[in-house]
Amino acid sequence: MPRFSKLLPLALVALLAARASFGEVAGDPERGAVVFAKCGGCHQVGEGAKNRIGPHLNGVFGRMAAELEGFPYSKSIKRAGADGLIWTRETLDAYIENPRVLVSGTRMSFRGLKKEQDRADVLAYLRTFSDDPSNIPEAEPTALGTDHDLDPAILAIQGDPEYGEYLSNECTTCHQTDGADEGIPSITLWPEEDFVVAMHAYKRKLRPHPVMQMMAGRLSDEEIAALAAYFAKPE
């Protein structure tokens, strides 16, 4: 269920509750970057992004509506924020489909993205500029070691656990090293082959999680093997 306060008008609660299943369509951040060109006349995102006709969209996930300092929001958006509207996957999806349905009186003149795939792609793209991964749940549980078509040479790479520990800081920003699972699955004590299979599935975009796709895409085969070796037996 989307996050909002009990003050949010009942019509919006009903609209967002009806979208609770959003996320079944996997977004592609690379396609989203192309679709985002329709938004770029008013919004910036990425390094050095600034407010323009619309606010910049860095870190938009989890932000209260009208919360960004320095931007002159409309009264309608300010009222929605005061009522508890938070930008989550569901609320952003509803807003970019038809801004005036979610927030009547908004100054945003964009007619909306009617195709669900386009919206999923744009949100996947925007998600890569957010620090909090909680709005995009993990894909299905890790693939089994036998459920893959990886080159055996990749699986044969012997990872260096010390190098893996050095690389692990980006992983442990979200995944807890004590094995706790509080909304983000644990990767501690994973079998090495399962870890490698999962990371390459993200790298090849076979698993629909844009943040993990981005992270895995930056890693070499040797670096993935090193991380697998470290998390299999962390000290």
Side-chain angles (χ1 to χ4, degrees):
M1 177 66 67
R3 295 165 55 201
F4 41 70
S5 81
K6 62 183 179 181
L7 298 176
L8 201 60
L10 291 178
L12 296 189
V13 174
L15 170 65
L16 297 174
R19 311 177 76 89
S21 63
F22 175 73
E24 295 177 0
V25 175
D28 183 326
E30 292 185 1
R31 288 199 305 261
V34 175
V35 179
F36 185 77
K38 297 179 180 180
C39 315
C42 297
H43 297 278
Q44 291 188 348
V45 68
E47 185 176 357
K50 298 179 180 179
N51 296 331
R52 300 182 67 184
I53 296 173
H56 76 72
L57 298 177
N58 289 343
V60 66
F61 283 90
R63 182 190 299 163
M64 185 78 72
E67 185 180 45
L68 190 64
E69 293 185 6
F71 185 79
Y73 290 99
S74 68
K75 291 181 179 179
S76 296
I77 285 287
K78 289 180 179 178
R79 183 166 55 249
D83 285 345
L85 177 61
I86 295 175
W87 294 125
T88 65
R89 296 173 70 214
E90 292 88 352
T91 56
L92 284 167
D93 180 62
Y95 193 60
I96 64 176
E97 180 181 15
N98 192 329
R100 285 183 170 78
V101 168
L102 186 67
V103 182
S104 61
T106 178
R107 290 200 302 260
M108 185 164 161
S109 59
F110 185 57
R111 293 185 177 181
L113 296 174
K114 304 309 177 186
K115 294 182 179 179
E116 185 177 11
Q117 185 65 62
D118 285 348
R119 299 196 305 275
D121 292 342
V122 166
L123 293 182
Y125 173 64
L126 291 178
R127 187 62 193 76
T128 65
F129 300 100
S130 178
D131 294 329
D132 180 2
S134 63
N135 286 283
I136 294 189
E138 279 285 0
E140 293 300 313
T142 306
L144 298 177
T146 56
D147 184 20
H148 62 79
D149 59 355
L150 278 181
D151 184 340
I154 292 177
L155 294 174
I157 297 173
Q158 296 296 310
D160 179 349
E162 291 186 3
Y163 184 40
E165 182 177 13
Y166 169 76
L167 295 170
S168 68
N169 285 341
E170 277 195 300
C171 305
T172 55
T173 298
C174 301
H175 297 276
Q176 300 182 51
T177 55
D178 62 3
D181 181 355
E182 298 179 2
I184 299 176
S186 170
I187 56 176
T188 301
L189 301 179
W190 269 12
E192 291 184 47
E193 184 170 324
D194 289 357
F195 188 105
V196 171
V197 167
M199 290 298 287
H200 279 278
Y202 286 125
K203 190 170 184 175
R204 296 161 64 190
K205 298 185 178 179
L206 300 177
R207 298 185 74 185
H209 190 298
V211 174
M212 288 302 303
Q213 289 174 356
M214 177 184 67
M215 299 289 286
R218 297 200 301 238
L219 296 171
S220 68
D221 295 347
E222 290 73 18
E223 288 171 332
I224 290 175
L227 286 167
Y230 169 67
F231 281 108
K233 300 176 182 178
E235 296 182 359

